[in-house]
Amino acid sequence: MKILGIDTSTDVLGVAVTDDRALISEIRSNIKRAHAERLVPTIQNVLSNLGMRPNDLNGIAISIGPGSFTGLRIGLAAVKGMALATQTPVVSVVSLDVLAINARFWQQQICPLIKAQMDEAYIAKYRFIDNQLIKHGDYQLMNLNELEQYIENQTLLINSGIKNFENYIPDHLKSQVMIAPPELSLTSGYATALLGWEKLRQGEFEDIDQLVPFYLKDFKAKKKVGL
């Protein structure tokens, strides 16, 4: 099953094609506010490198958030256009899950965090049990100054986009946590496709007309200066 995975939830633009769970092609770039210009050409490049057309895909997996409001809308708009044109089934995955699956080697608690606004971050708790990613509790929007109330036992923190992240970890907790290296803190099209594979296999397709981004935080348009 050929799956196109797309993640535009952070500054990282990730596009990949898998054959079931096996990666066969991926392009990632980490350029701020460039998704609108780069997403469609990147999809075209990934497919053309494989000698594939959109009609050759068996499914599309899209990361629907939480994350960048603008990035999520750009990614979803592109996927809806492709799906309607080719009648390709679509599944959605959560961007925090996409980050968490990078830590398949970690046996203790995993907490991915995605930068929101000010001192806020989107966060969730996970563990791998019998090689399955299991989420504990709800997806949350948290003030980073309350992070110490969220950490339990040995925890791997996966930081996406939060500057000076170490400053939010009190000294007495630093022995209980490990901050994932930068290469594990990037969302990716491959991880999106990997999570989407199981949903596609189970026939858990989205209704494209009803699919919307998972913001988790109310959208507030920024007021332009002078208005």
Side-chain angles (χ1 to χ4, degrees), residues 64-93:
I64 59 164
S68 162
F69 292 170
T70 301
L72 295 174
R73 292 196 297 274
I74 291 169
L76 191 54
V79 166
K80 286 188 174 186
M82 286 185 64
L84 290 171
T86 62
Q87 299 301 303
T88 304
V90 173
V91 295
S92 65
V93 302

mmCIF file of all heavy atoms in Angstrom, residues 64-93:
data_model
loop_
_atom_site.group_PDB
_atom_site.id
_atom_site.type_symbol
_atom_site.label_atom_id
_atom_site.label_comp_id
_atom_site.label_asym_id
_atom_site.label_seq_id
_atom_site.Cartn_x
_atom_site.Cartn_y
_atom_site.Cartn_z
ATOM 1 N N ILE A 64 -3.081 16.694 11.443
ATOM 2 C CA ILE A 64 -4.083 17.770 11.539
ATOM 3 C C ILE A 64 -3.899 18.660 12.771
ATOM 4 O O ILE A 64 -4.742 19.483 13.064
ATOM 5 C CB ILE A 64 -5.508 17.209 11.524
ATOM 6 C CG1 ILE A 64 -5.735 16.239 12.680
ATOM 7 C CG2 ILE A 64 -5.827 16.577 10.199
ATOM 8 C CD1 ILE A 64 -7.202 15.962 12.937
ATOM 9 N N GLY A 65 -2.791 18.521 13.488
ATOM 10 C CA GLY A 65 -2.538 19.384 14.620
ATOM 11 C C GLY A 65 -2.515 18.626 15.928
ATOM 12 O O GLY A 65 -2.640 17.391 15.925
ATOM 13 N N PRO A 66 -2.337 19.365 17.018
ATOM 14 C CA PRO A 66 -2.237 20.819 17.099
ATOM 15 C C PRO A 66 -0.891 21.331 16.589
ATOM 16 O O PRO A 66 0.046 20.559 16.419
ATOM 17 C CB PRO A 66 -2.392 21.096 18.597
ATOM 18 C CG PRO A 66 -1.852 19.856 19.250
ATOM 19 C CD PRO A 66 -2.234 18.729 18.353
ATOM 20 N N GLY A 67 -0.833 22.636 16.362
ATOM 21 C CA GLY A 67 0.379 23.245 15.861
ATOM 22 C C GLY A 67 0.080 24.601 15.254
ATOM 23 O O GLY A 67 -0.831 25.306 15.684
ATOM 24 N N SER A 68 0.843 24.945 14.231
ATOM 25 C CA SER A 68 0.684 26.229 13.554
ATOM 26 C C SER A 68 -0.663 26.303 12.853
ATOM 27 O O SER A 68 -0.972 25.470 12.004
ATOM 28 C CB SER A 68 1.806 26.406 12.522
ATOM 29 O OG SER A 68 1.480 27.400 11.581
ATOM 30 N N PHE A 69 -1.478 27.290 13.215
ATOM 31 C CA PHE A 69 -2.791 27.430 12.596
ATOM 32 C C PHE A 69 -2.671 27.550 11.072
ATOM 33 O O PHE A 69 -3.381 26.890 10.319
ATOM 34 C CB PHE A 69 -3.524 28.651 13.140
ATOM 35 C CG PHE A 69 -3.935 28.531 14.589
ATOM 36 C CD1 PHE A 69 -4.420 29.629 15.272
ATOM 37 C CD2 PHE A 69 -3.837 27.324 15.265
ATOM 38 C CE1 PHE A 69 -4.814 29.533 16.608
ATOM 39 C CE2 PHE A 69 -4.231 27.216 16.587
ATOM 40 C CZ PHE A 69 -4.716 28.322 17.259
ATOM 41 N N THR A 70 -1.760 28.408 10.623
ATOM 42 C CA THR A 70 -1.602 28.618 9.185
ATOM 43 C C THR A 70 -1.091 27.358 8.502
ATOM 44 O O THR A 70 -1.603 26.954 7.449
ATOM 45 C CB THR A 70 -0.634 29.787 8.925
ATOM 46 O OG1 THR A 70 -1.153 30.980 9.532
ATOM 47 C CG2 THR A 70 -0.465 30.030 7.435
ATOM 48 N N GLY A 71 -0.091 26.728 9.086
ATOM 49 C CA GLY A 71 0.465 25.513 8.501
ATOM 50 C C GLY A 71 -0.569 24.409 8.374
ATOM 51 O O GLY A 71 -0.638 23.713 7.356
ATOM 52 N N LEU A 72 -1.393 24.250 9.403
ATOM 53 C CA LEU A 72 -2.417 23.210 9.367
ATOM 54 C C LEU A 72 -3.419 23.461 8.247
ATOM 55 O O LEU A 72 -3.829 22.524 7.550
ATOM 56 C CB LEU A 72 -3.143 23.140 10.715
ATOM 57 C CG LEU A 72 -2.297 22.699 11.912
ATOM 58 C CD1 LEU A 72 -3.097 22.828 13.205
ATOM 59 C CD2 LEU A 72 -1.806 21.268 11.725
ATOM 60 N N ARG A 73 -3.822 24.706 8.069
ATOM 61 C CA ARG A 73 -4.794 25.022 7.014
ATOM 62 C C ARG A 73 -4.201 24.778 5.624
ATOM 63 O O ARG A 73 -4.884 24.275 4.732
ATOM 64 C CB ARG A 73 -5.268 26.469 7.152
ATOM 65 C CG ARG A 73 -6.107 26.719 8.401
ATOM 66 C CD ARG A 73 -6.878 28.027 8.296
ATOM 67 N NE ARG A 73 -5.995 29.173 8.195
ATOM 68 C CZ ARG A 73 -5.468 29.824 9.232
ATOM 69 N NH1 ARG A 73 -5.736 29.415 10.470
ATOM 70 N NH2 ARG A 73 -4.692 30.869 9.058
ATOM 71 N N ILE A 74 -2.914 25.113 5.460
ATOM 72 C CA ILE A 74 -2.252 24.908 4.161
ATOM 73 C C ILE A 74 -2.184 23.416 3.836
ATOM 74 O O ILE A 74 -2.499 22.982 2.723
ATOM 75 C CB ILE A 74 -0.836 25.525 4.183
ATOM 76 C CG1 ILE A 74 -0.932 27.055 4.226
ATOM 77 C CG2 ILE A 74 -0.025 25.072 2.973
ATOM 78 C CD1 ILE A 74 0.389 27.745 4.520
ATOM 79 N N GLY A 75 -1.770 22.618 4.808
ATOM 80 C CA GLY A 75 -1.653 21.188 4.573
ATOM 81 C C GLY A 75 -2.986 20.541 4.270
ATOM 82 O O GLY A 75 -3.112 19.729 3.336
ATOM 83 N N LEU A 76 -4.006 20.903 5.024
ATOM 84 C CA LEU A 76 -5.318 20.294 4.840
ATOM 85 C C LEU A 76 -5.932 20.697 3.503
ATOM 86 O O LEU A 76 -6.566 19.871 2.822
ATOM 87 C CB LEU A 76 -6.237 20.675 5.997
ATOM 88 C CG LEU A 76 -7.558 19.909 6.091
ATOM 89 C CD1 LEU A 76 -7.334 18.402 6.105
ATOM 90 C CD2 LEU A 76 -8.323 20.343 7.338
ATOM 91 N N ALA A 77 -5.733 21.943 3.108
ATOM 92 C CA ALA A 77 -6.268 22.396 1.820
ATOM 93 C C ALA A 77 -5.651 21.612 0.669
ATOM 94 O O ALA A 77 -6.357 21.202 -0.270
ATOM 95 C CB ALA A 77 -6.016 23.888 1.643
ATOM 96 N N ALA A 78 -4.341 21.377 0.733
ATOM 97 C CA ALA A 78 -3.675 20.624 -0.331
ATOM 98 C C ALA A 78 -4.169 19.183 -0.379
ATOM 99 O O ALA A 78 -4.410 18.625 -1.454
ATOM 100 C CB ALA A 78 -2.166 20.662 -0.127
ATOM 101 N N VAL A 79 -4.333 18.583 0.782
ATOM 102 C CA VAL A 79 -4.782 17.194 0.833
ATOM 103 C C VAL A 79 -6.214 17.061 0.329
ATOM 104 O O VAL A 79 -6.551 16.122 -0.402
ATOM 105 C CB VAL A 79 -4.650 16.643 2.274
ATOM 106 C CG1 VAL A 79 -5.416 15.340 2.434
ATOM 107 C CG2 VAL A 79 -3.189 16.442 2.620
ATOM 108 N N LYS A 80 -7.066 17.993 0.711
ATOM 109 C CA LYS A 80 -8.456 17.939 0.221
ATOM 110 C C LYS A 80 -8.501 18.051 -1.292
ATOM 111 O O LYS A 80 -9.276 17.341 -1.950
ATOM 112 C CB LYS A 80 -9.280 19.052 0.867
ATOM 113 C CG LYS A 80 -9.633 18.791 2.325
ATOM 114 C CD LYS A 80 -10.615 19.832 2.850
ATOM 115 C CE LYS A 80 -11.081 19.500 4.255
ATOM 116 N NZ LYS A 80 -12.141 20.398 4.747
ATOM 117 N N GLY A 81 -7.677 18.924 -1.856
ATOM 118 C CA GLY A 81 -7.653 19.069 -3.299
ATOM 119 C C GLY A 81 -7.213 17.787 -3.986
ATOM 120 O O GLY A 81 -7.820 17.355 -4.974
ATOM 121 N N MET A 82 -6.158 17.155 -3.473
ATOM 122 C CA MET A 82 -5.675 15.903 -4.055
ATOM 123 C C MET A 82 -6.705 14.796 -3.928
ATOM 124 O O MET A 82 -6.950 14.033 -4.868
ATOM 125 C CB MET A 82 -4.380 15.463 -3.362
ATOM 126 C CG MET A 82 -3.155 16.260 -3.723
ATOM 127 S SD MET A 82 -1.679 15.552 -2.949
ATOM 128 C CE MET A 82 -1.614 13.941 -3.736
ATOM 129 N N ALA A 83 -7.299 14.703 -2.743
ATOM 130 C CA ALA A 83 -8.256 13.617 -2.493
ATOM 131 C C ALA A 83 -9.486 13.738 -3.385
ATOM 132 O O ALA A 83 -9.987 12.739 -3.908
ATOM 133 C CB ALA A 83 -8.658 13.618 -1.019
ATOM 134 N N LEU A 84 -9.972 14.948 -3.558
ATOM 135 C CA LEU A 84 -11.146 15.146 -4.402
ATOM 136 C C LEU A 84 -10.837 14.863 -5.865
ATOM 137 O O LEU A 84 -11.673 14.328 -6.603
ATOM 138 C CB LEU A 84 -11.671 16.575 -4.233
ATOM 139 C CG LEU A 84 -12.317 16.898 -2.882
ATOM 140 C CD1 LEU A 84 -12.601 18.388 -2.764
ATOM 141 C CD2 LEU A 84 -13.608 16.097 -2.696
ATOM 142 N N ALA A 85 -9.616 15.205 -6.290
ATOM 143 C CA ALA A 85 -9.250 15.013 -7.687
ATOM 144 C C ALA A 85 -8.986 13.552 -8.024
ATOM 145 O O ALA A 85 -9.220 13.120 -9.160
ATOM 146 C CB ALA A 85 -8.019 15.850 -8.019
ATOM 147 N N THR A 86 -8.494 12.791 -7.037
ATOM 148 C CA THR A 86 -8.082 11.415 -7.311
ATOM 149 C C THR A 86 -8.934 10.362 -6.621
ATOM 150 O O THR A 86 -8.735 9.163 -6.840
ATOM 151 C CB THR A 86 -6.625 11.212 -6.854
ATOM 152 O OG1 THR A 86 -6.539 11.423 -5.429
ATOM 153 C CG2 THR A 86 -5.691 12.182 -7.570
ATOM 154 N N GLN A 87 -9.856 10.804 -5.746
ATOM 155 C CA GLN A 87 -10.693 9.877 -4.967
ATOM 156 C C GLN A 87 -9.834 8.956 -4.086
ATOM 157 O O GLN A 87 -10.179 7.792 -3.874
ATOM 158 C CB GLN A 87 -11.585 9.046 -5.891
ATOM 159 C CG GLN A 87 -12.555 9.875 -6.712
ATOM 160 C CD GLN A 87 -13.500 10.714 -5.830
ATOM 161 O OE1 GLN A 87 -14.209 10.167 -4.994
ATOM 162 N NE2 GLN A 87 -13.482 12.026 -6.018
ATOM 163 N N THR A 88 -8.721 9.506 -3.587
ATOM 164 C CA THR A 88 -7.832 8.746 -2.712
ATOM 165 C C THR A 88 -8.308 8.872 -1.267
ATOM 166 O O THR A 88 -8.579 9.991 -0.806
ATOM 167 C CB THR A 88 -6.384 9.272 -2.817
ATOM 168 O OG1 THR A 88 -5.980 9.219 -4.180
ATOM 169 C CG2 THR A 88 -5.434 8.427 -1.984
ATOM 170 N N PRO A 89 -8.412 7.780 -0.518
ATOM 171 C CA PRO A 89 -8.836 7.876 0.884
ATOM 172 C C PRO A 89 -7.818 8.629 1.735
ATOM 173 O O PRO A 89 -6.613 8.557 1.499
ATOM 174 C CB PRO A 89 -8.970 6.415 1.325
ATOM 175 C CG PRO A 89 -8.154 5.635 0.359
ATOM 176 C CD PRO A 89 -8.203 6.380 -0.933
ATOM 177 N N VAL A 90 -8.338 9.342 2.724
ATOM 178 C CA VAL A 90 -7.510 10.172 3.611
ATOM 179 C C VAL A 90 -7.726 9.742 5.056
ATOM 180 O O VAL A 90 -8.857 9.466 5.473
ATOM 181 C CB VAL A 90 -7.876 11.670 3.458
ATOM 182 C CG1 VAL A 90 -7.160 12.523 4.498
ATOM 183 C CG2 VAL A 90 -7.541 12.149 2.050
ATOM 184 N N VAL A 91 -6.627 9.697 5.810
ATOM 185 C CA VAL A 91 -6.705 9.511 7.254
ATOM 186 C C VAL A 91 -5.955 10.649 7.920
ATOM 187 O O VAL A 91 -5.057 11.249 7.328
ATOM 188 C CB VAL A 91 -6.125 8.155 7.705
ATOM 189 C CG1 VAL A 91 -6.957 7.006 7.164
ATOM 190 C CG2 VAL A 91 -4.669 8.010 7.289
ATOM 191 N N SER A 92 -6.336 10.959 9.151
ATOM 192 C CA SER A 92 -5.671 12.036 9.887
ATOM 193 C C SER A 92 -4.973 11.472 11.116
ATOM 194 O O SER A 92 -5.429 10.494 11.714
ATOM 195 C CB SER A 92 -6.677 13.105 10.311
ATOM 196 O OG SER A 92 -7.611 12.575 11.235
ATOM 197 N N VAL A 93 -3.861 12.121 11.483
ATOM 198 C CA VAL A 93 -3.144 11.758 12.698
ATOM 199 C C VAL A 93 -2.836 13.041 13.464
ATOM 200 O O VAL A 93 -2.879 14.138 12.916
ATOM 201 C CB VAL A 93 -1.844 10.987 12.394
ATOM 202 C CG1 VAL A 93 -2.136 9.721 11.603
ATOM 203 C CG2 VAL A 93 -0.844 11.852 11.634
#
